Amino acid sequence: MNLKQSLGGRGRVILTSSTLYQYSFEQQGAELAVYTRYLVEGIRTGAADLDNDGSISVNELHDHVREKVRKAASSSLSLSR
């Protein structure tokens, strides 16, 4: 993804849990929204460094969070059935 071309800016990236027309996935009673929780966790623990090169790229962070949210959503759905 060419961030400069996509976002029109330099040195900044905006990651969001949903688009304008989507709902964000939340867990009742949690301090942070699911997306935000996994975003912070990925940075804090280094879990988002998917290629283990010592740095976390935006793509790695996004991929890490997307996978964690997908798993959380699917386990939440299976628990509610």
Side-chain angles (χ1 to χ4, degrees), residues 14-80:
I14 300 168
L15 298 174
T16 63
S17 61
S18 60
T19 67
L20 178 64
Y21 301 105
Q22 296 173 320
Y23 290 102
S24 293
F25 180 61
E26 295 183 17
Q27 288 180 324
Q28 195 163 9
E31 186 176 321
L32 298 172
V34 174
Y35 184 90
T36 305
R37 184 176 79 223
Y38 291 127
L39 183 92
V40 171
E41 172 200 90
I43 295 169
R44 184 181 306 144
T45 66
D49 182 9
L50 302 178
D51 63 4
N52 296 309
D53 69 350
S55 64
I56 300 170
S57 71
V58 172
N59 288 335
E60 286 176 308
L61 186 56
H62 175 69
D63 290 345
H64 167 76
V65 174
R66 180 180 57 207
E67 182 62 19
K68 294 291 239 176
V69 169
R70 186 190 66 73
K71 286 181 181 177
S74 66
S75 74
S76 177
L77 288 174
S78 66
L79 290 175
S80 65

